[in-house]
Amino acid sequence: MEAIIKVDGLEKSYGEKKVVQKISFGVNKGEILCFLGPNGAGKSTTINILCGLLGYEGGVIKYKDKDVKKHLKEFKRHMGVVPQELAIYEDLSAEQNVRFFASLYGLRGRELEEKTDKALEFVGLYEKKNEKAKTFSGGMKRRLNIACAIAHEPELVIMDEPTVGIDPQSRNHILSSIKKLSKSGMTILYTTHYMEEVEEISSRILIMDSGTIIAEGTKESLKEEIFEERQFILEVEEDEDLNTDEFYKVEGVKKVEKKAEELIITTLKNVENLDKIIAIVIDSKTKIVNLYCRTASLENVFLRLTGKSLRD
Ligand SMILES: Nc1ncnc2c1ncn2[C@@H]1O[C@H](COP(=O)(O)OP(=O)(O)OP(=O)(O)O)[C@@H](O)[C@H]1O
Ligand SMILES: [Mg+2]
C-alpha cells in the first residue's frame, strides 16, 4: 500500500505538558483512516500540525517522501481541511463561501464556478446556494464546511469531528458523502468520538490516548487481537432441568450463564465447539428458539485499551 503521508516521531508540548509524544503513523492512499480518542487525547493537535496550522518540536512529516516543512505550500494545495470549529462566513451565501475557499487554492474562472457548483451539489446544498450561511441549521453549516474543503478536489481531506451536534439526517448525509469521496479516490483522515461512525466508514483506525497511539488496525483486526473470546447466545424454551455443568466439559468453554430463556456461553474464539454445545441442549430435550453469536464491539476494545468510555 502506498503511504501518502508518513509521520515519524512527532512531538508537541504546551509548556511542560507533552500533548503529542513521539507518535508515528502513515496515511495510505485511498483509505478512510479514523482517529479515535477521548477528549484531550491529542487528536486535534496532531491534525492541526498536519494541516500546517501548528508548529511542532520533534519528528518529521513527509508527504510523498518530501518533508512537509520544506514543501508546505505544495502540500497544502493537495489537502482540504474541515476543522473542528466551523470555518465559514455567516454573512456570505453558501456559494460565496465555497468560491472564497476554492479561490484560495488557486481556482479561477470557469473551473472555479464548476467546482463550486459540484461541491455544493455533493453536500446537498446546491438548491440553497444563494442563501446566507447564517440562515442554515447546524447540520447544513457542517455540510457547507465540508463543501469549502473539497471544492478544489484535494488528494487528502482531513476532517476533525465534522458531525458533532447535528441531526441524524445530516449525519447520514455526511457519512455517505465521505464514503463517496473515498470511492472517488480521495484519502480521508477523520476524527470522531462516535464509535458507530468508525464502524460504518473506517478502513483503518488509530486509537490515541494521552498523546500516544495505543492501537492501530482495522476494526476487525482490533477486535480480533484484543478479545480472544466470543459468546453464543441461545434463546431456549425455559427448562429447569438443563444442567449447565455439562457445557464446561466442552473444550474452549469459559463461562455459562443461564437466564430464564437465554443461555449465554462464553468460549474461546479459535475453538470450533458449537456442534458440541448444541448437542448438549438437544440431548436435554430443550428447544432452541434462536441462536446467535456476539463478538466484541469497538466500544469494548476502546474500554479495554484506555479504561475510559468515549463519551466521558
Ligand atoms: N493552545 C493550547 N494551550 C495549551 N494546551 C492546549 C492547547 N490546545 C490543546 N491543549 C491541550 O492539549 C491536549 C490535547 O488537546 P487536543 O485538542 O489535541 O485533544 P483532542 O483529542 O482533539 O480532544 P477533543 O476530543 O476534546 O477534541 C489537551 O490536554 C489540551 O488541554
Ligand atoms: Mg479535538
mmCIF file of all heavy atoms in Angstrom, residues 152-199:
data_model
loop_
_atom_site.group_PDB
_atom_site.id
_atom_site.type_symbol
_atom_site.label_atom_id
_atom_site.label_comp_id
_atom_site.label_asym_id
_atom_site.label_seq_id
_atom_site.Cartn_x
_atom_site.Cartn_y
_atom_site.Cartn_z
ATOM 1 N N HIS A 152 -11.790 22.182 -4.281
ATOM 2 C CA HIS A 152 -10.587 22.149 -5.138
ATOM 3 C C HIS A 152 -10.106 20.722 -5.402
ATOM 4 O O HIS A 152 -9.041 20.524 -5.968
ATOM 5 C CB HIS A 152 -9.473 23.000 -4.518
ATOM 6 C CG HIS A 152 -9.006 22.512 -3.177
ATOM 7 N ND1 HIS A 152 -9.801 22.497 -2.057
ATOM 8 C CD2 HIS A 152 -7.816 22.005 -2.776
ATOM 9 C CE1 HIS A 152 -9.122 22.015 -1.027
ATOM 10 N NE2 HIS A 152 -7.919 21.699 -1.436
ATOM 11 N N GLU A 153 -10.919 19.752 -5.030
ATOM 12 C CA GLU A 153 -10.644 18.333 -5.274
ATOM 13 C C GLU A 153 -9.264 17.905 -4.795
ATOM 14 O O GLU A 153 -8.413 17.465 -5.564
ATOM 15 C CB GLU A 153 -10.857 18.005 -6.759
ATOM 16 C CG GLU A 153 -12.301 18.248 -7.137
ATOM 17 C CD GLU A 153 -12.617 17.940 -8.602
ATOM 18 O OE1 GLU A 153 -11.685 17.733 -9.398
ATOM 19 O OE2 GLU A 153 -13.817 17.913 -8.917
ATOM 20 N N PRO A 154 -9.060 18.023 -3.476
ATOM 21 C CA PRO A 154 -7.753 17.661 -2.923
ATOM 22 C C PRO A 154 -7.546 16.144 -2.933
ATOM 23 O O PRO A 154 -8.501 15.382 -3.033
ATOM 24 C CB PRO A 154 -7.839 18.168 -1.478
ATOM 25 C CG PRO A 154 -9.289 18.140 -1.157
ATOM 26 C CD PRO A 154 -10.004 18.459 -2.430
ATOM 27 N N GLU A 155 -6.312 15.771 -2.780
ATOM 28 C CA GLU A 155 -5.990 14.348 -2.726
ATOM 29 C C GLU A 155 -6.309 13.790 -1.343
ATOM 30 O O GLU A 155 -6.717 12.644 -1.204
ATOM 31 C CB GLU A 155 -4.486 14.223 -3.001
ATOM 32 C CG GLU A 155 -4.039 12.823 -3.227
ATOM 33 C CD GLU A 155 -2.594 12.780 -3.703
ATOM 34 O OE1 GLU A 155 -1.888 13.805 -3.620
ATOM 35 O OE2 GLU A 155 -2.193 11.699 -4.145
ATOM 36 N N LEU A 156 -6.129 14.655 -0.336
ATOM 37 C CA LEU A 156 -6.331 14.240 1.050
ATOM 38 C C LEU A 156 -7.288 15.218 1.737
ATOM 39 O O LEU A 156 -7.105 16.435 1.638
ATOM 40 C CB LEU A 156 -4.980 14.267 1.779
ATOM 41 C CG LEU A 156 -4.989 14.124 3.296
ATOM 42 C CD1 LEU A 156 -5.335 12.690 3.693
ATOM 43 C CD2 LEU A 156 -3.640 14.507 3.876
ATOM 44 N N VAL A 157 -8.306 14.679 2.419
ATOM 45 C CA VAL A 157 -9.198 15.546 3.186
ATOM 46 C C VAL A 157 -9.067 15.177 4.659
ATOM 47 O O VAL A 157 -9.171 14.005 5.023
ATOM 48 C CB VAL A 157 -10.675 15.381 2.780
ATOM 49 C CG1 VAL A 157 -11.530 16.431 3.468
ATOM 50 C CG2 VAL A 157 -10.838 15.493 1.288
ATOM 51 N N ILE A 158 -8.838 16.182 5.482
ATOM 52 C CA ILE A 158 -8.711 15.961 6.917
ATOM 53 C C ILE A 158 -9.933 16.543 7.602
ATOM 54 O O ILE A 158 -10.243 17.724 7.436
ATOM 55 C CB ILE A 158 -7.427 16.625 7.447
ATOM 56 C CG1 ILE A 158 -6.218 15.999 6.733
ATOM 57 C CG2 ILE A 158 -7.316 16.480 8.946
ATOM 58 C CD1 ILE A 158 -4.881 16.545 7.190
ATOM 59 N N MET A 159 -10.650 15.701 8.335
ATOM 60 C CA MET A 159 -11.882 16.173 8.976
ATOM 61 C C MET A 159 -11.803 15.949 10.478
ATOM 62 O O MET A 159 -11.569 14.849 10.940
ATOM 63 C CB MET A 159 -13.081 15.379 8.451
ATOM 64 C CG MET A 159 -13.271 15.502 6.965
ATOM 65 S SD MET A 159 -14.826 14.727 6.485
ATOM 66 C CE MET A 159 -14.761 15.019 4.726
ATOM 67 N N ASP A 160 -12.045 17.032 11.231
ATOM 68 C CA ASP A 160 -11.978 16.942 12.690
ATOM 69 C C ASP A 160 -13.390 17.024 13.270
ATOM 70 O O ASP A 160 -13.968 18.100 13.356
ATOM 71 C CB ASP A 160 -11.087 18.078 13.223
ATOM 72 C CG ASP A 160 -10.624 17.816 14.647
ATOM 73 O OD1 ASP A 160 -11.060 16.823 15.252
ATOM 74 O OD2 ASP A 160 -9.817 18.627 15.153
ATOM 75 N N GLU A 161 -13.921 15.887 13.640
ATOM 76 C CA GLU A 161 -15.263 15.786 14.224
ATOM 77 C C GLU A 161 -16.320 16.577 13.457
ATOM 78 O O GLU A 161 -16.962 17.474 14.018
ATOM 79 C CB GLU A 161 -15.232 16.247 15.683
ATOM 80 C CG GLU A 161 -14.193 15.473 16.482
ATOM 81 C CD GLU A 161 -14.475 15.458 17.975
ATOM 82 O OE1 GLU A 161 -15.654 15.528 18.339
ATOM 83 O OE2 GLU A 161 -13.512 15.357 18.745
ATOM 84 N N PRO A 162 -16.531 16.236 12.194
ATOM 85 C CA PRO A 162 -17.458 17.041 11.386
ATOM 86 C C PRO A 162 -18.932 16.789 11.679
ATOM 87 O O PRO A 162 -19.781 17.472 11.123
ATOM 88 C CB PRO A 162 -17.123 16.626 9.954
ATOM 89 C CG PRO A 162 -16.620 15.241 10.071
ATOM 90 C CD PRO A 162 -15.922 15.156 11.400
ATOM 91 N N THR A 163 -19.228 15.841 12.552
ATOM 92 C CA THR A 163 -20.647 15.533 12.769
ATOM 93 C C THR A 163 -21.107 15.836 14.187
ATOM 94 O O THR A 163 -22.170 15.385 14.606
ATOM 95 C CB THR A 163 -20.926 14.040 12.491
ATOM 96 O OG1 THR A 163 -20.067 13.265 13.338
ATOM 97 C CG2 THR A 163 -20.681 13.678 11.050
ATOM 98 N N VAL A 164 -20.288 16.595 14.927
ATOM 99 C CA VAL A 164 -20.672 16.879 16.316
ATOM 100 C C VAL A 164 -21.930 17.748 16.370
ATOM 101 O O VAL A 164 -22.029 18.750 15.669
ATOM 102 C CB VAL A 164 -19.507 17.567 17.064
ATOM 103 C CG1 VAL A 164 -19.986 18.222 18.349
ATOM 104 C CG2 VAL A 164 -18.439 16.543 17.378
ATOM 105 N N GLY A 165 -22.870 17.310 17.182
ATOM 106 C CA GLY A 165 -24.045 18.130 17.459
ATOM 107 C C GLY A 165 -24.967 18.359 16.279
ATOM 108 O O GLY A 165 -25.574 19.429 16.183
ATOM 109 N N ILE A 166 -25.062 17.419 15.356
ATOM 110 C CA ILE A 166 -26.001 17.640 14.251
ATOM 111 C C ILE A 166 -27.088 16.565 14.215
ATOM 112 O O ILE A 166 -26.970 15.527 14.841
ATOM 113 C CB ILE A 166 -25.283 17.703 12.883
ATOM 114 C CG1 ILE A 166 -24.604 16.370 12.572
ATOM 115 C CG2 ILE A 166 -24.284 18.839 12.855
ATOM 116 C CD1 ILE A 166 -24.064 16.337 11.174
ATOM 117 N N ASP A 167 -28.132 16.854 13.429
ATOM 118 C CA ASP A 167 -29.262 15.937 13.356
ATOM 119 C C ASP A 167 -28.880 14.669 12.594
ATOM 120 O O ASP A 167 -27.972 14.685 11.775
ATOM 121 C CB ASP A 167 -30.432 16.636 12.661
ATOM 122 C CG ASP A 167 -30.042 17.105 11.268
ATOM 123 O OD1 ASP A 167 -29.305 18.108 11.158
ATOM 124 O OD2 ASP A 167 -30.435 16.454 10.300
ATOM 125 N N PRO A 168 -29.577 13.556 12.879
ATOM 126 C CA PRO A 168 -29.224 12.266 12.268
ATOM 127 C C PRO A 168 -29.246 12.298 10.735
ATOM 128 O O PRO A 168 -28.425 11.649 10.099
ATOM 129 C CB PRO A 168 -30.315 11.318 12.776
ATOM 130 C CG PRO A 168 -30.884 11.966 13.970
ATOM 131 C CD PRO A 168 -30.678 13.435 13.837
ATOM 132 N N GLN A 169 -30.143 13.089 10.177
ATOM 133 C CA GLN A 169 -30.245 13.119 8.710
ATOM 134 C C GLN A 169 -28.981 13.731 8.087
ATOM 135 O O GLN A 169 -28.423 13.196 7.132
ATOM 136 C CB GLN A 169 -31.469 13.931 8.327
ATOM 137 C CG GLN A 169 -31.989 13.609 6.951
ATOM 138 C CD GLN A 169 -33.088 14.581 6.561
ATOM 139 O OE1 GLN A 169 -33.679 15.257 7.415
ATOM 140 N NE2 GLN A 169 -33.346 14.682 5.285
ATOM 141 N N SER A 170 -28.535 14.849 8.677
ATOM 142 C CA SER A 170 -27.307 15.482 8.178
ATOM 143 C C SER A 170 -26.114 14.565 8.399
ATOM 144 O O SER A 170 -25.217 14.478 7.567
ATOM 145 C CB SER A 170 -27.047 16.802 8.890
ATOM 146 O OG SER A 170 -27.885 17.799 8.394
ATOM 147 N N ARG A 171 -26.121 13.879 9.538
ATOM 148 C CA ARG A 171 -25.019 12.965 9.823
ATOM 149 C C ARG A 171 -24.953 11.859 8.774
ATOM 150 O O ARG A 171 -23.891 11.568 8.229
ATOM 151 C CB ARG A 171 -25.180 12.354 11.204
ATOM 152 C CG ARG A 171 -24.276 11.131 11.351
ATOM 153 C CD ARG A 171 -24.389 10.486 12.664
ATOM 154 N NE ARG A 171 -23.938 11.413 13.684
ATOM 155 C CZ ARG A 171 -23.716 11.073 14.938
ATOM 156 N NH1 ARG A 171 -23.921 9.850 15.310
ATOM 157 N NH2 ARG A 171 -23.318 11.948 15.805
ATOM 158 N N ASN A 172 -26.105 11.274 8.481
ATOM 159 C CA ASN A 172 -26.128 10.219 7.462
ATOM 160 C C ASN A 172 -25.648 10.753 6.125
ATOM 161 O O ASN A 172 -24.925 10.083 5.398
ATOM 162 C CB ASN A 172 -27.535 9.640 7.305
ATOM 163 C CG ASN A 172 -27.899 8.788 8.500
ATOM 164 O OD1 ASN A 172 -27.016 8.308 9.207
ATOM 165 N ND2 ASN A 172 -29.192 8.614 8.740
ATOM 166 N N HIS A 173 -26.075 11.964 5.815
ATOM 167 C CA HIS A 173 -25.669 12.578 4.566
ATOM 168 C C HIS A 173 -24.145 12.720 4.517
ATOM 169 O O HIS A 173 -23.500 12.375 3.533
ATOM 170 C CB HIS A 173 -26.344 13.942 4.419
ATOM 171 C CG HIS A 173 -26.285 14.479 3.030
ATOM 172 N ND1 HIS A 173 -25.113 14.964 2.493
ATOM 173 C CD2 HIS A 173 -27.213 14.574 2.067
ATOM 174 C CE1 HIS A 173 -25.330 15.352 1.263
ATOM 175 N NE2 HIS A 173 -26.599 15.124 0.963
ATOM 176 N N ILE A 174 -23.595 13.213 5.623
ATOM 177 C CA ILE A 174 -22.144 13.417 5.675
ATOM 178 C C ILE A 174 -21.399 12.084 5.571
ATOM 179 O O ILE A 174 -20.444 11.949 4.809
ATOM 180 C CB ILE A 174 -21.751 14.179 6.967
ATOM 181 C CG1 ILE A 174 -22.215 15.640 6.852
ATOM 182 C CG2 ILE A 174 -20.246 14.109 7.213
ATOM 183 C CD1 ILE A 174 -21.986 16.483 8.096
ATOM 184 N N LEU A 175 -21.872 11.088 6.306
ATOM 185 C CA LEU A 175 -21.171 9.795 6.271
ATOM 186 C C LEU A 175 -21.212 9.169 4.886
ATOM 187 O O LEU A 175 -20.210 8.645 4.398
ATOM 188 C CB LEU A 175 -21.755 8.822 7.307
ATOM 189 C CG LEU A 175 -21.543 9.211 8.771
ATOM 190 C CD1 LEU A 175 -22.112 8.132 9.682
ATOM 191 C CD2 LEU A 175 -20.070 9.434 9.094
ATOM 192 N N SER A 176 -22.380 9.265 4.230
ATOM 193 C CA SER A 176 -22.412 8.662 2.894
ATOM 194 C C SER A 176 -21.589 9.494 1.906
ATOM 195 O O SER A 176 -20.979 8.945 0.988
ATOM 196 C CB SER A 176 -23.838 8.399 2.406
ATOM 197 O OG SER A 176 -24.568 9.573 2.421
ATOM 198 N N SER A 177 -21.523 10.813 2.128
ATOM 199 C CA SER A 177 -20.661 11.642 1.272
ATOM 200 C C SER A 177 -19.199 11.230 1.420
ATOM 201 O O SER A 177 -18.456 11.174 0.443
ATOM 202 C CB SER A 177 -20.754 13.120 1.637
ATOM 203 O OG SER A 177 -22.070 13.554 1.645
ATOM 204 N N ILE A 178 -18.815 10.962 2.655
ATOM 205 C CA ILE A 178 -17.413 10.592 2.892
ATOM 206 C C ILE A 178 -17.080 9.285 2.181
ATOM 207 O O ILE A 178 -16.032 9.145 1.551
ATOM 208 C CB ILE A 178 -17.141 10.491 4.410
ATOM 209 C CG1 ILE A 178 -17.183 11.901 5.006
ATOM 210 C CG2 ILE A 178 -15.796 9.831 4.682
ATOM 211 C CD1 ILE A 178 -17.191 11.937 6.498
ATOM 212 N N LYS A 179 -18.038 8.352 2.242
ATOM 213 C CA LYS A 179 -17.790 7.083 1.552
ATOM 214 C C LYS A 179 -17.680 7.311 0.038
ATOM 215 O O LYS A 179 -16.860 6.692 -0.630
ATOM 216 C CB LYS A 179 -18.893 6.070 1.891
ATOM 217 C CG LYS A 179 -18.725 5.517 3.312
ATOM 218 C CD LYS A 179 -19.595 4.319 3.565
ATOM 219 C CE LYS A 179 -20.944 4.739 4.090
ATOM 220 N NZ LYS A 179 -21.778 3.617 4.535
ATOM 221 N N LYS A 180 -18.514 8.233 -0.461
ATOM 222 C CA LYS A 180 -18.462 8.528 -1.890
ATOM 223 C C LYS A 180 -17.121 9.183 -2.266
ATOM 224 O O LYS A 180 -16.522 8.854 -3.287
ATOM 225 C CB LYS A 180 -19.606 9.485 -2.274
ATOM 226 C CG LYS A 180 -20.750 8.769 -3.003
ATOM 227 C CD LYS A 180 -21.656 9.778 -3.690
ATOM 228 C CE LYS A 180 -22.754 10.263 -2.741
ATOM 229 N NZ LYS A 180 -23.555 11.368 -3.277
ATOM 230 N N LEU A 181 -16.675 10.114 -1.415
ATOM 231 C CA LEU A 181 -15.386 10.770 -1.679
ATOM 232 C C LEU A 181 -14.280 9.730 -1.745
ATOM 233 O O LEU A 181 -13.413 9.765 -2.607
ATOM 234 C CB LEU A 181 -15.054 11.763 -0.553
ATOM 235 C CG LEU A 181 -15.805 13.081 -0.525
ATOM 236 C CD1 LEU A 181 -15.377 13.884 0.698
ATOM 237 C CD2 LEU A 181 -15.549 13.888 -1.789
ATOM 238 N N SER A 182 -14.357 8.787 -0.799
ATOM 239 C CA SER A 182 -13.341 7.753 -0.751
ATOM 240 C C SER A 182 -13.378 6.890 -2.017
ATOM 241 O O SER A 182 -12.334 6.573 -2.589
ATOM 242 C CB SER A 182 -13.561 6.917 0.507
ATOM 243 O OG SER A 182 -12.824 5.747 0.445
ATOM 244 N N LYS A 183 -14.575 6.555 -2.453
ATOM 245 C CA LYS A 183 -14.697 5.753 -3.684
ATOM 246 C C LYS A 183 -14.129 6.493 -4.890
ATOM 247 O O LYS A 183 -13.596 5.879 -5.811
ATOM 248 C CB LYS A 183 -16.177 5.429 -3.953
ATOM 249 C CG LYS A 183 -16.672 4.249 -3.155
ATOM 250 C CD LYS A 183 -17.729 3.458 -3.936
ATOM 251 C CE LYS A 183 -18.229 2.313 -3.087
ATOM 252 N NZ LYS A 183 -19.455 2.663 -2.342
ATOM 253 N N SER A 184 -14.262 7.828 -4.861
ATOM 254 C CA SER A 184 -13.761 8.602 -5.999
ATOM 255 C C SER A 184 -12.237 8.728 -5.956
ATOM 256 O O SER A 184 -11.634 9.364 -6.817
ATOM 257 C CB SER A 184 -14.404 9.989 -6.035
ATOM 258 O OG SER A 184 -13.801 10.823 -5.055
ATOM 259 N N GLY A 185 -11.614 8.159 -4.913
ATOM 260 C CA GLY A 185 -10.153 8.121 -4.874
ATOM 261 C C GLY A 185 -9.513 9.046 -3.855
ATOM 262 O O GLY A 185 -8.300 9.058 -3.690
ATOM 263 N N MET A 186 -10.328 9.847 -3.142
ATOM 264 C CA MET A 186 -9.736 10.729 -2.132
ATOM 265 C C MET A 186 -9.325 9.917 -0.911
ATOM 266 O O MET A 186 -9.935 8.914 -0.595
ATOM 267 C CB MET A 186 -10.754 11.774 -1.684
ATOM 268 C CG MET A 186 -10.721 13.046 -2.497
ATOM 269 S SD MET A 186 -11.824 14.271 -1.788
ATOM 270 C CE MET A 186 -12.099 15.300 -3.228
ATOM 271 N N THR A 187 -8.314 10.429 -0.241
ATOM 272 C CA THR A 187 -7.862 9.816 1.005
ATOM 273 C C THR A 187 -8.439 10.651 2.143
ATOM 274 O O THR A 187 -8.453 11.874 2.049
ATOM 275 C CB THR A 187 -6.322 9.837 1.054
ATOM 276 O OG1 THR A 187 -5.845 9.179 -0.108
ATOM 277 C CG2 THR A 187 -5.805 9.167 2.310
ATOM 278 N N ILE A 188 -8.919 9.982 3.183
ATOM 279 C CA ILE A 188 -9.597 10.731 4.237
ATOM 280 C C ILE A 188 -9.056 10.386 5.621
ATOM 281 O O ILE A 188 -8.891 9.219 5.971
ATOM 282 C CB ILE A 188 -11.119 10.477 4.159
ATOM 283 C CG1 ILE A 188 -11.623 11.157 2.888
ATOM 284 C CG2 ILE A 188 -11.851 11.063 5.382
ATOM 285 C CD1 ILE A 188 -12.853 10.629 2.321
ATOM 286 N N LEU A 189 -8.777 11.448 6.354
ATOM 287 C CA LEU A 189 -8.364 11.298 7.748
ATOM 288 C C LEU A 189 -9.490 11.912 8.571
ATOM 289 O O LEU A 189 -9.826 13.082 8.402
ATOM 290 C CB LEU A 189 -7.038 12.042 7.960
ATOM 291 C CG LEU A 189 -6.404 12.012 9.333
ATOM 292 C CD1 LEU A 189 -6.196 10.585 9.808
ATOM 293 C CD2 LEU A 189 -5.044 12.699 9.282
ATOM 294 N N TYR A 190 -10.064 11.107 9.454
ATOM 295 C CA TYR A 190 -11.323 11.502 10.077
ATOM 296 C C TYR A 190 -11.241 11.306 11.585
ATOM 297 O O TYR A 190 -10.921 10.224 12.050
ATOM 298 C CB TYR A 190 -12.402 10.577 9.494
ATOM 299 C CG TYR A 190 -13.829 10.895 9.882
ATOM 300 C CD1 TYR A 190 -14.598 11.724 9.089
ATOM 301 C CD2 TYR A 190 -14.405 10.349 11.030
ATOM 302 C CE1 TYR A 190 -15.906 12.016 9.430
ATOM 303 C CE2 TYR A 190 -15.719 10.644 11.377
ATOM 304 C CZ TYR A 190 -16.457 11.471 10.571
ATOM 305 O OH TYR A 190 -17.754 11.758 10.904
ATOM 306 N N THR A 191 -11.534 12.346 12.361
ATOM 307 C CA THR A 191 -11.570 12.101 13.807
ATOM 308 C C THR A 191 -12.997 12.185 14.313
ATOM 309 O O THR A 191 -13.808 12.957 13.798
ATOM 310 C CB THR A 191 -10.736 13.100 14.648
ATOM 311 O OG1 THR A 191 -11.495 14.287 14.808
ATOM 312 C CG2 THR A 191 -9.421 13.409 14.025
ATOM 313 N N THR A 192 -13.268 11.382 15.299
ATOM 314 C CA THR A 192 -14.615 11.364 15.858
ATOM 315 C C THR A 192 -14.622 10.765 17.259
ATOM 316 O O THR A 192 -13.684 10.098 17.675
ATOM 317 C CB THR A 192 -15.565 10.544 14.948
ATOM 318 O OG1 THR A 192 -16.878 10.577 15.500
ATOM 319 C CG2 THR A 192 -15.124 9.103 14.840
ATOM 320 N N HIS A 193 -15.717 11.042 17.966
ATOM 321 C CA HIS A 193 -15.988 10.389 19.244
ATOM 322 C C HIS A 193 -16.989 9.271 19.066
ATOM 323 O O HIS A 193 -17.244 8.519 19.991
ATOM 324 C CB HIS A 193 -16.676 11.381 20.186
ATOM 325 C CG HIS A 193 -15.735 12.248 20.911
ATOM 326 N ND1 HIS A 193 -15.549 13.557 20.576
ATOM 327 C CD2 HIS A 193 -14.921 11.994 21.941
ATOM 328 C CE1 HIS A 193 -14.651 14.079 21.394
ATOM 329 N NE2 HIS A 193 -14.264 13.148 22.214
ATOM 330 N N TYR A 194 -17.585 9.233 17.879
ATOM 331 C CA TYR A 194 -18.709 8.317 17.714
ATOM 332 C C TYR A 194 -18.265 6.984 17.136
ATOM 333 O O TYR A 194 -17.859 6.880 15.987
ATOM 334 C CB TYR A 194 -19.774 8.936 16.798
ATOM 335 C CG TYR A 194 -20.346 10.229 17.302
ATOM 336 C CD1 TYR A 194 -20.142 11.411 16.619
ATOM 337 C CD2 TYR A 194 -21.078 10.264 18.490
ATOM 338 C CE1 TYR A 194 -20.665 12.607 17.080
ATOM 339 C CE2 TYR A 194 -21.596 11.453 18.962
ATOM 340 C CZ TYR A 194 -21.386 12.623 18.252
ATOM 341 O OH TYR A 194 -21.889 13.803 18.713
ATOM 342 N N MET A 195 -18.355 5.980 17.993
ATOM 343 C CA MET A 195 -17.935 4.641 17.628
ATOM 344 C C MET A 195 -18.699 4.108 16.426
ATOM 345 O O MET A 195 -18.139 3.459 15.554
ATOM 346 C CB MET A 195 -18.226 3.764 18.840
ATOM 347 C CG MET A 195 -17.376 2.605 18.956
ATOM 348 S SD MET A 195 -15.649 3.028 19.055
ATOM 349 C CE MET A 195 -15.403 3.200 20.786
ATOM 350 N N GLU A 196 -19.993 4.407 16.367
ATOM 351 C CA GLU A 196 -20.777 3.844 15.264
ATOM 352 C C GLU A 196 -20.331 4.425 13.911
ATOM 353 O O GLU A 196 -20.427 3.759 12.897
ATOM 354 C CB GLU A 196 -22.289 3.981 15.489
ATOM 355 C CG GLU A 196 -22.839 5.356 15.774
ATOM 356 C CD GLU A 196 -22.693 5.819 17.226
ATOM 357 O OE1 GLU A 196 -21.788 5.348 17.960
ATOM 358 O OE2 GLU A 196 -23.476 6.703 17.629
ATOM 359 N N GLU A 197 -19.783 5.640 13.938
ATOM 360 C CA GLU A 197 -19.264 6.206 12.688
ATOM 361 C C GLU A 197 -18.012 5.456 12.243
ATOM 362 O O GLU A 197 -17.824 5.187 11.060
ATOM 363 C CB GLU A 197 -18.923 7.691 12.872
ATOM 364 C CG GLU A 197 -20.141 8.535 13.134
ATOM 365 C CD GLU A 197 -19.832 10.022 13.132
ATOM 366 O OE1 GLU A 197 -18.646 10.404 13.085
ATOM 367 O OE2 GLU A 197 -20.804 10.793 13.189
ATOM 368 N N VAL A 198 -17.189 5.136 13.217
ATOM 369 C CA VAL A 198 -15.970 4.389 12.904
ATOM 370 C C VAL A 198 -16.339 3.012 12.345
ATOM 371 O O VAL A 198 -15.770 2.550 11.365
ATOM 372 C CB VAL A 198 -15.090 4.249 14.159
ATOM 373 C CG1 VAL A 198 -13.848 3.443 13.855
ATOM 374 C CG2 VAL A 198 -14.704 5.618 14.668
ATOM 375 N N GLU A 199 -17.334 2.383 12.985
ATOM 376 C CA GLU A 199 -17.810 1.072 12.494
ATOM 377 C C GLU A 199 -18.260 1.200 11.037
ATOM 378 O O GLU A 199 -18.024 0.329 10.228
ATOM 379 C CB GLU A 199 -19.006 0.573 13.329
ATOM 380 C CG GLU A 199 -18.650 0.129 14.742
ATOM 381 C CD GLU A 199 -18.282 -1.347 14.835
ATOM 382 O OE1 GLU A 199 -18.177 -2.009 13.792
ATOM 383 O OE2 GLU A 199 -18.087 -1.820 15.975
#
